[in-house]
């Protein structure tokens, strides 16, 4: 797989026309993330547009509900032909299992490949202090993230979303076939923004990430194409900080 295919760029805009402009500006990008804001504002039309351009789709809805509702939502997503879909691991094993089965049913009915369901372990905007003091979870952050990933694996999900700071531990414990997607990845020349647990792209890949979600360092750059190409070149040339 080419390095450029392992970088997922978020369409973090509020409307489909804005998304189309970004797609036109970055034709080199093969894998795009559609999050809550864009999906709520544009509906599945943006997914149809991405598929018409032969792009891969990470539908990052972070579903979290009772098993029956999760199943209904995942069944509908199975019909869209997306590649990745996120659910919160904290929805519990029954909901994760229901979502996985329903996504497969929806995909088969539509003649699509089954999307890979990824469990959200812990949002990268949260840190150990938030976990302990705000959420009142007594586990240490790495232990909690590992528990959520193992819960997802035991529920039959093929992968998880985690901070690149935890990816090496998860890779060692969950195995080589467990898909790991890492947001919170920032080149050394980019600001971290509201992501609190970040590392460089090269370090994340070296630790075992399958895909990297890299947004603002590319989309908010003065020249997004140059920023995307710079990241790819740093990874291919091994010049990233590891």
């Amino acid at each position: 797989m080419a390095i450029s295919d392992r970088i997922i760029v978020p369409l973090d805009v509020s409307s489909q026309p804005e998304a189309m402009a970004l797609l036109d500006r970055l034709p080199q990008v093969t894998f795009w993330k559609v999050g809550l804001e864009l999906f709520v504002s544009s509906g599945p039309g943006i997914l149809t547009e991405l598929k018409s351009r032969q792009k891969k789709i990470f539908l990052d809805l972070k579903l979290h509900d009772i098993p029956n509702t999760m199943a209904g939502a995942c069944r509908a997503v199975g019909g869209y032909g997306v590649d990745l879909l996120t659910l919160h691991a904290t929805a519990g094993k029954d909901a994760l299992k229901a979502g996985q089965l329903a996504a497969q049913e929806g995909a088969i009915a539509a003649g699509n490949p089954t999307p890979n369901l990824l469990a959200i372990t812990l949002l990268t905007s949260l840190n150990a202090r938030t976990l302990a003091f705000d959420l009142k979870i007594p586990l240490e952050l790495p232990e909690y993230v590992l528990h959520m990933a193992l819960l997802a694996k035991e529920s039959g999900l093929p992968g998880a979303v985690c901070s690149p700071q935890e990816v090496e531990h998860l890779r060692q414990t969950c195995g080589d076939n467990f898909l790991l997607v890492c947001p919170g990845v920032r080149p050394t020349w980019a600001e971290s923004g509201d992501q609190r647990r970040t590392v460089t792209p090269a370090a994340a890949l070296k630790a075992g990430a399958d895909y990297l979600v890299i947004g603002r360092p590319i989309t908010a750059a003065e020249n997004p194409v140059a920023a995307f190409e710079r990241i790819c070149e740093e990874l291919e040339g091994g010049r990233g900080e590891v």
Side-chain angles (χ1 to χ4, degrees):
M1 184 188 302
I3 284 292
S4 59
D5 294 337
R6 299 177 70 177
I7 299 174
I8 302 174
V9 179
L11 283 168
D12 285 342
V13 293
S14 58
S15 69
Q16 187 159 332
E18 290 176 282
M20 300 285 287
L22 196 53
L23 290 173
D24 290 338
R25 196 171 184 187
L26 282 163
Q28 301 91 335
V29 175
T30 60
F31 214 144
W32 290 93
K33 180 173 82 73
V34 175
L36 272 174
E37 182 179 10
L38 180 58
F39 189 76
V40 170
S41 69
S42 68
I46 185 59
L47 307 181
T48 302
E49 177 61 32
L50 285 164
K51 288 184 68 65
S52 74
R53 297 185 184 214
Q54 298 181 318
K55 304 297 185 181
K56 298 183 75 174
I57 304 170
F58 175 18
L59 187 56
D60 187 24
L61 299 184
K62 298 182 177 71
L63 300 174
H64 189 286
D65 216 308
I66 62 173
N68 187 60
T69 303
M70 289 273 272
C74 290
R75 187 175 293 108
V77 171
Y80 292 151
V82 306
D83 300 277
L84 305 174
L85 170 68
T86 51
L87 312 83
H88 274 287
T90 49
K93 188 176 290 187
D94 288 345
L96 296 178
K97 288 182 175 179
Q100 177 68 27
L101 179 61
Q104 184 176 14
E105 292 171 350
I108 290 173
N112 295 325
T114 300
N116 286 310
L117 269 57
L118 305 176
I120 300 293
T121 53
L122 183 69
L123 298 174
T124 53
S125 59
L126 305 180
N127 56 21
R129 180 177 178 82
T130 306
L131 195 69
F133 290 95
D134 293 352
L135 302 182
K136 304 301 181 184
I137 293 173
L139 299 177
E140 293 294 328
L141 190 148
E143 184 183 0
Y144 177 79
V145 169
L146 178 60
H147 175 67
M148 291 292 103
L150 289 174
L151 178 68
K153 185 174 182 179
E154 291 166 4
S155 303
L157 267 64
V161 177
C162 67
S163 161
Q165 292 184 340
E166 285 90 50
V167 70
E168 183 174 10
H169 191 195
L170 266 60
R171 174 62 67 214
Q172 292 172 350
T173 306
C174 297
D176 292 338
N177 295 325
F178 194 66
L179 190 64
L180 294 173
V181 177
C182 292
V185 178
R186 292 288 184 271
T188 55
W189 41 267
E191 295 183 2
S192 62
D194 61 3
Q195 304 282 1
R196 298 193 181 178
R197 304 192 328 275
T198 68
V199 302
T200 64
L205 288 185
K206 183 178 180 181
D210 292 295
Y211 293 99
L212 311 177
V213 180
I214 308 176
R216 280 165 287 187
I218 297 171
T219 58
E222 185 176 344
N223 186 333
V225 171
F228 179 74
E229 291 178 345
R230 180 178 177 181
I231 292 170
C232 292
E233 288 170 2
E234 288 178 353
L235 289 172
E236 289 169 352
R239 295 194 299 272
E241 181 181 290
V242 295

